[in-house]
Amino acid sequence: MDKIGIYAVPFVISAIVLAGAVKRIDIFESFKEGAKEGISSLISVAPSLIGLVIGVNMLSASGFFELTADALSPFCHAVGIPPEVLPLGLIRPVSGSGATAILSSILENNGPDSLIGKTASVMAGSTETTFYAIAVYYGAAGIKKTRHTVPAALTADFCGIITACAVTRMIG
Amino acid sequence: MLLSYIWVLMIVGSVICSFITGRSAILAAAITEGADKSISLLFSMAGVMCLWTGIMKIADKSGISAGIAGILSPVLSKLMPDYAKDSSALKAVSANITANMLGLGNAATPLGIKAMKEMQKHNRLGDKPNNSMIMFVVINTASVQIIPASTAALRKAAGSTDPYSILPLVWISSALALLAGIIVTAALNRNGGVQNG
């Protein structure tokens, strides 16, 4: 299963570059344009990422994650979530930069290729900043009441957390 | 505003925690260390992030996103029956979902806003979202990303021997989560539909 990643990345990149060649677009100019957007989005998240990495680093140094993991481990084991990755699941719907900061701390403390590190990576890759999306999209369209959007979207996020843990445990 | 509360909780919580665990000295060092770490994190992520935003821009301009959007469109029209005949809304929705799949973050948000505005034009519930709009939000937030670039970048930054080894797991997990989200939303829509007419 691990090998798929090794083949997928070069395949995706060469397929896309070839598609660009077939369509006769200016490939390198497009790459530069996209890379520039990557730089500007990194710059735009930098201030919040700096603040949240400081906050998460403080929590991590204070022993907060160990204390909460101990306290929550009966619940986590009951639903099949490693307690170490729970903070990521909690912050993911609220803040993208917060999730980046917490994922980075989990990977650093447990190792990126450990089961916990892989579970956290899969979780981060399969969920989104739900509240941000609801606020931005509904706000722009002038929708004020949300009906059952929040319960539906949060249930979907919760399913994402559970599937990330289960899939990684079974075939990771 | 919510982040302000979270930040205060993080800072005050860690100080209180450090009293319990007796790690005040470590905490004091961690504040400066965190500031330092955030910048090295940004630097070590930057290359991988820009690689993928660049590659996906080529995909976008080569018509790959238009192709994927064309495949998704009939499926999405089934999931959002209020807009099955509204081609401009459906087109914007498909373009947004495709941009999310390809990780074109900068393009995805304006496309999502456009999609929601198009949907709002024919929304009989006024300032409340109709069932199709709720389905759109859920599909959007449970989105399947083909290459989770920022996660791969963070894994590389943490010294992973193979940052992309998680790809098949991410695909399976996010597809299952999307399916679960669609089922839950369809069930809630059915109940809510009765209440809200």
Side-chain angles (χ1 to χ4, degrees):
Chain A
M1 211 61 181
D2 282 11
K3 296 283 168 283
I4 296 177
I6 296 173
Y7 295 112
V9 170
F11 172 78
V12 168
I13 293 180
S14 54
I16 288 172
V17 173
L18 273 177
V22 169
K23 285 287 171 75
R24 295 177 176 280
I25 62 159
D26 191 336
I27 300 169
F28 201 68
E29 203 50 50
S30 309
F31 177 80
K32 277 162 56 187
E33 199 184 311
K36 201 172 174 185
E37 282 179 17
I39 296 270
S40 48
S41 63
L42 274 174
I43 290 172
S44 69
V45 300
S48 63
L49 193 63
I50 293 168
L52 289 164
V53 168
I54 295 171
V56 170
N57 207 52
M58 286 175 73
L59 282 180
S60 174
S62 73
F64 172 84
F65 292 126
E66 286 98 327
L67 284 183
T68 45
D70 284 347
L72 293 170
S73 74
F75 163 76
C76 288
H77 287 300
V79 286
I81 305 173
E84 291 85 351
V85 302
L86 192 68
L88 178 64
L90 293 178
I91 202 152
R92 191 75 186 92
V94 182
S95 160
S97 304
T100 301
I102 289 202
L103 176 59
S104 154
S105 142
I106 294 174
L107 295 179
E108 196 181 299
N109 294 334
N110 301 281
D113 299 313
S114 66
L115 181 64
I116 289 167
K118 278 188 172 182
T119 306
S121 308
V122 174
M123 202 187 269
S126 1
T127 51
E128 251 278 356
T129 45
T130 304
F131 285 106
Y132 169 81
I134 294 175
V136 169
Y137 294 156
Y138 280 177
I143 288 182
K144 300 201 170 58
K145 303 190 177 85
T146 58
R147 288 178 65 210
H148 50 279
T149 310
V150 173
L154 285 185
T155 312
D157 283 339
F158 184 70
C159 293
I161 293 172
I162 299 290
T163 55
C165 297
V167 167
T168 313
R169 195 175 49 235
M170 283 187 281
I171 50 180
Chain B
M1 200 55 211
L2 182 59
L3 271 181
S4 303
Y5 293 120
I6 293 177
W7 210 47
V8 170
L9 278 176
M10 280 178 167
I11 291 171
V12 177
S14 64
V15 173
I16 295 170
C17 246
S18 71
F19 291 146
I20 302 170
T21 55
R23 294 196 201 171
S24 300
I26 303 173
L27 176 69
I31 301 171
T32 344
E33 189 197 86
D36 222 27
K37 208 186 264 182
S38 61
I39 295 299
S40 35
L41 185 66
L42 277 167
F43 271 99
S44 55
M45 282 174 78
V48 179
M49 289 297 291
C50 292
L51 159 71
W52 288 109
T53 52
I55 291 292
M56 290 310 178
K57 181 62 92 180
I58 301 174
D60 193 26
K61 295 213 167 166
S62 311
I64 292 178
S65 23
I68 298 176
I71 298 168
L72 290 181
S73 181
V75 184
L76 290 169
S77 82
K78 290 272 188 304
L79 292 171
M80 295 165 206
D82 299 303
Y83 300 94
K85 294 201 169 57
D86 182 346
S87 63
S88 50
L90 211 54
K91 208 174 155 193
V93 168
S94 313
N96 165 267
I97 306 284
T98 307
N100 275 331
M101 283 176 74
L102 296 180
L104 297 160
N106 284 335
T109 306
L111 285 170
I113 289 172
K114 182 164 178 259
M116 198 56 91
K117 281 184 171 166
E118 287 291 336
M119 293 176 106
Q120 178 65 4
K121 280 184 191 165
H122 303 287
N123 177 21
R124 288 182 291 110
L125 301 181
D127 63 352
K128 287 191 274 187
N130 61 34
N131 288 349
S132 297
M133 294 165 115
I134 296 174
M135 187 59 91
F136 171 54
V137 169
V138 171
I139 295 176
N140 178 292
T141 58
S143 72
V144 179
Q145 205 177 334
I146 298 170
I147 307 284
S150 62
T151 301
L154 282 170
R155 290 174 54 74
K156 194 226 75 181
S160 169
T161 49
D162 185 4
Y164 297 101
S165 64
I166 50 144
L167 280 187
L169 301 176
V170 170
W171 296 332
I172 297 169
S173 168
S174 53
L176 287 175
L178 174 65
L179 194 64
I182 289 173
I183 293 170
V184 168
T185 309
L188 285 171
N189 275 352
R190 190 165 294 176
N191 290 331
V194 176
Q195 285 164 19
N196 294 288

